[in-house]
Amino acid sequence: MKRSVSFTLNGEPTNLVVDDERHLLWVLRHDLGLTGTKFACGEGLCGACTIVVDGEAIRSCATQVKEIEGKKILTIEGLAQDGELHPLQRAFVEERAFQCGFCTSGMILNAYAMLLKTPHPPPAEIVQQLNDHLCGCGSHVRITRAVRSGAEAMRGDG
């Protein structure tokens, strides 16, 4: 059923008329042109489609549009501010924490949501948080280092 859905997207009020059963991933990518959120498994298992909704990391491929009414959504495109990469994005670049980059936006947003709640995560918690993100490039050590470095920068320690 088509309906009007209102939410805040990357700080901007947004209103769309869409089929409320449609998955958020497709609305972001096709209707709104935000292609940083990736499609991979389509079942909420791999993490490539991760976004932040009201401070929580969620899988957009497993979330229907009707579930986001009135919520605040952050995609990778909204993380940078005023043309400057977010400290976590910058840390991923500096640590070379990706190769192909396909899963990177989901990992960054998952880490961002974790750091909102736990600004000083121990390395084991970082690994646990990102454990269900599938990455075939083998950059896991650099990813963990990037999250630690990004956390320091977000706190003003680095």
Side-chain angles (χ1 to χ4, degrees):
M1 174 171 91
K2 285 202 181 262
R3 69 181 248 185
S4 178
V5 180
S6 298
F7 52 94
T8 302
L9 177 62
N10 297 331
E12 298 293 324
T14 304
N15 188 303
L16 299 172
V17 176
V18 294
D19 180 347
D20 62 1
E21 300 287 323
R22 203 155 160 228
H23 287 101
L24 182 55
L25 171 67
W26 302 118
V27 171
L28 293 171
R29 290 184 59 80
H30 294 290
D31 298 356
L32 299 170
L34 300 174
T35 58
T37 304
K38 304 297 186 206
F39 171 74
C41 73
E43 297 180 10
L45 300 174
C46 72
C49 69
T50 300
I51 59 171
V52 178
V53 176
D54 288 346
E56 298 288 330
I58 65 129
R59 304 297 170 90
S60 64
C61 76
T63 303
Q64 293 178 334
V65 173
K66 64 184 175 187
E67 297 175 54
I68 55 133
E69 176 71 41
K71 298 188 177 185
K72 293 180 183 173
I73 297 174
L74 178 69
T75 67
I76 197 69
E77 292 89 350
L79 196 55
Q81 295 294 310
D82 301 320
E84 295 289 322
L85 290 177
H86 183 274
L88 199 49
Q89 290 172 305
R90 205 169 33 254
F92 266 70
V93 171
E94 290 169 358
E95 294 290 343
R96 296 178 296 169
F98 52 88
Q99 286 182 31
C100 79
F102 192 82
C103 63
T104 306
S105 62
M107 283 193 192
I108 289 173
L109 289 171
N110 196 351
Y112 175 79
M114 175 191 64
L115 294 173
L116 291 177
K117 292 184 223 134
T118 310
H120 293 82
E125 188 171 337
I126 294 169
V127 169
Q128 179 64 34
Q129 182 73 19
L130 298 177
N131 195 37
D132 62 350
H133 279 266
L134 303 181
C135 173
C137 294
S139 302
H140 297 87
V141 171
R142 293 190 308 254
I143 290 165
T144 303
R145 232 180 8 240
V147 174
R148 284 197 329 258
S149 176
E152 291 172 4
M154 285 174 67
R155 294 189 308 262
D157 299 349

